[in-house]
Every structure is written in structure tokens, then in C-alpha cells.
Amino acid sequence: MKTIIEPFRIKSVEPIYFNTKEDRLHILEKAFYNPFLIHANDVLVDLLTDSGTSAMSSSQWAGIMQGDESYAGSPSFSNFEKAVKEITGFPIVIPTHQGRAAEKILFSLLGGKGKYFISNTLFDTTRANIEFSGAEGIDLLCEEGKHPATPAPFKGNINIEALKKTINEKGAENIPMVIITVTNNSGGGQPVSMQNIKEVSSVCRKNKIPFFIDACRFAENCYFIKLREKGFASKSVPEIANELFSYADGCTMSAKKDAFANIGGFLAMHNQQLAQQCRNLLIITEGFTTYGGLAGRDLEAIAIGLKEVMEEQYLQYRIRSIEYLTEKLSAAGVPVMQPAGGHAVYIDAKEFLPHIPVEQYPGQALVCALYAEGGVRSVEIGSLMFGKYDADRKLIPAQMELVRLAIPRRVYTQSHIDYVAEVIIDVFKKRNELKGLMITEEAPVLRHFTAQLNPVK
Ligand SMILES: *Cc1c(COP(=O)(O)O)cnc(C)c1O
């Protein structure tokens, strides 16, 4: 087989500003060993997130110029609505400025004290919006999903037995919704099978519980179904997407992921009555029902992006590029999550740096080392992000200490990815020299964004 090439040419470029290791050591110190506090121009390859960082196509930029900015009834809204309807089959489409705005509207209406929302894994903003309403979120990820080193085809699946058991325990009347995240972002970008979606749907119908899909990476998930699930090899991605959404009652979406847009999102559903309530809230917080916090040009770019993301040449390149980096690292002995997910490569920092105790944040130590070595920015998903304290202020660590390298869509070429692999492997060779970190300043919630740290002496 020949090399899978990037299915695009480059028409417009952005410079990368080079600096030296000496510069970066100084920058890290000034940023208190927290790469969220580093200026983006000081980063050579930015793998902090795949959200809102996609490169738009020439068609999308052309669409931006054609965006219609009418307050009500914009033709750009019609294009947006049509694109979403064609993919999801949901008759009602409500635009929002981001995914979390769709979540905020939905959970303000359905949440509240004594309610439980069940998921494979809730994304952090989803969980935050559920908890903010007074309700509780429950993650019931399948067993395979909990072991990073063990490969399985659909590690994003929900545990169906646990779902049935939890519904019995909590009472169907106290569960306003089951939400399946495709692909499972917080669980390593791992896909959910069509079979699993079908079973969730059947359990929900039996118990009269609405079933929604968190659809941020629907196209990546559908492509994994095509590659890995029996009976889907000859189906097109739009056909698979149609089937996937047909089992659900609605979805939330961040267009900053699988729509190649820099901003945007939506809510889509069947239920007219719920939609009316959502629109009433939308008008208070986001805007009128035909723009919902977005400019007409954004709606146009999303409508075009939603179609482009389902092209198989693109998805083949996308999934292959994540797998390529995973394979390179794995071959050099670097402990990475297996198999490769849809949007990011995850390094197991506990295995990478066994000499650094979790109280000294091995994931953050690795994030800093990757920046210092090659200007690669990544993010810790471990005890700095999710750790809590007990009554004696002793750290209750997270389940895993991971470092995520999220790959922006259509932004970096194979040589950038080769460079990233070289940087990681260089750090791996001198891993014994790496030191842990301690926190010197932190916020009470979501501390990883602003925490200040210092190397342990
Ligand atoms: C990004 C994301 C969201 C939230 O979307 P925003 O546009 O960032 O508000 C929700 N769910 C998942 C799975 C996500 O990845």
C-alpha cells in the first residue's frame, strides 16, 4: 500500500516562530510550569486541543464571504439547518455559540436536584452543566475502556448491564436522559459501536428515557464503525451517521470539532415541546432561533464543514495520522494508549516516569519536558486536572496519569508529526533525569488552567 497523503494542498500558511531550548526553559519558568500560561507564539507544534483549531477549507472561506447576516430568517441558517437535518434526521435544529451552550440550555430544563444523567463518559463541560443544575452525572464506561494498554475495537461503549442496573436503582422517572459521547473524548477518543448505540436505544425506549448523543466527533466515530464493525464496510459515512442518529431522540454538538469551524454548536431533536422550551431559553442567552449566538458566516462555514468531514479520503488520513504517531511511539517503547483513538494520542505518564510519585504530577512533568525539548505543547489529563484533596489536604489522585497530544484537523503535515515523535522519543531516552513538580498556587475549581508549579528540589 502507498503512503496515505494529506488530502489537501496548502494555499495559505501561518508562520511557526522558532526558539531554542534555552529560551523555552526560561519561558517555562515564567509560565510557572503550566503550558496554559505560555504565549501561543512561543509554541512550535501546538497539540493542546483539537477544539476550534481546525484549518478551514477554501470552500468554507468562500462560504464566510457569502454568509448572510440578517437577524431573522438568514439563508445561511437555512443551509446550516439543512446540513444538520441531512446528517441527523432530527427535524428541529437550534444553533448555539458552542457545545456547552447547547448543554446549558438542555440541562437547565431537564436537570435539578434528585436527577441523574447516565453516560459512557460525560465530557467535563457536560458534567459541569449537569452538576450546576443540581443533578448528578454517572459514567458507566465498559470494562475494556478502563485499561489503556489493552486494545479493543470499541473502548468507548457504555456497560449495558450497569446501565440497566442503575436505571432500576435510581428509578427511570429520576433519569431525564442517557447521553452517549461519540467518540468518547475523556476516555481516549475511543469509538462507540452501532450495536452499543442500538442497545442503549432499546433500554431507553423500554424505560421511556430520552436518549441523546454528544455528537462532537460523530464522523470519526462513524468511520471507526465502518472499519471495525461487521456489516458496515460497504456503507458510506453519511449512511452510517444517518443510522447512528436514527436510534437517538436528539443530540448536542460542538462545531469546533467535527465541523472544522473555529466556533459554533447546536442542539437537534424530535420533541417539539422540549424544543419550544429550549428556544425560549436560547433567545434569553444566545440569540434569535435562526442565529443562536453565531454570525451568519459561521453558520455557513459549519454547513460546509459538516459535509467535508464525512469525506472518506479525509477520514482515512485523519484516523491514520493518529495511528501513525501511536505506532511510532509504541515501536520506541513509549507507553501509549492502545488502540489509537480518533483525535489524540495519549501517553501513560505513570509508566513513562515511574520514579515520579503521583503527588509530584508525573503527567505535568512530562508535558513540561516535551515543551522544553521541542516546543511541543500538550496537556496533562491526570491528577493536576482531576486530583482532589482529603480532609488532611493529602492528594486523592486521578485514576490515570495521562498526557494528551490532540491533533488539530488539517493543520499539521506528516513532517510535523515525525518531529513530535522525535521529541517524545528523545525525552523518553532521558526520562530518568526528569523531576517532579509541586503546586505553589491553585484555584479551588478547574485548577489545571491557572495553577502555578515549581520543580521539586
Ligand atoms: C468540546 C466538547 C464539548 C463542549 O463543546 P464546546 O464547544 O467546547 O463548548 C462537549 N462534549 C464533548 C465530547 C466535547 O469534546
Side-chain angles (χ1 to χ4, degrees), residues 27 30-39 377 449-452:
I27 291 164
K30 273 188 27 198
F32 305 100
Y33 299 87
N34 184 348
F36 276 105
L37 306 178
I38 294 176
H39 196 286
R377 180 155 68 170
F449 287 121
T450 54
Q452 300 185 3

Side-chain angles (χ1 to χ4, degrees), residues 254-320:
S254 166
K256 299 175 74 173
K257 321 291 169 54
D258 266 0
F260 299 123
N262 303 123
I263 198 73
F266 59 82
L267 247 174
M269 65 189 81
H270 283 291
N271 186 326
Q272 296 278 354
Q273 217 181 339
L274 177 62
Q276 199 46 52
Q277 291 175 303
C278 289
R279 283 177 171 142
N280 292 341
L281 267 188
L282 184 85
I283 290 175
I284 299 172
T285 58
E286 292 283 289
F288 186 62
T289 56
T290 60
Y291 74 86
L294 293 170
R297 53 178 173 268
D298 300 325
L299 293 165
E300 202 72 50
I302 295 167
I304 297 164
L306 282 172
K307 292 196 185 116
E308 289 179 354
V309 81
M310 294 190 294
E311 286 167 10
E312 277 174 37
Q313 297 298 336
Y314 161 73
L315 284 166
Q316 181 190 36
Y317 139 81
R318 171 72 176 160
I319 299 304
R320 177 61 197 149

Side-chain angles (χ1 to χ4, degrees), residues 103-105 107-108 111-113 117 124-137:
E103 293 166 353
K104 170 81 173 127
I105 289 170
F107 303 131
S108 317
K113 231 179 145 42
F117 289 84
D124 51 16
T125 61
T126 323
R127 175 174 285 279
N129 275 298
I130 287 168
E131 289 175 357
F132 190 70
S133 82
E136 239 178 85

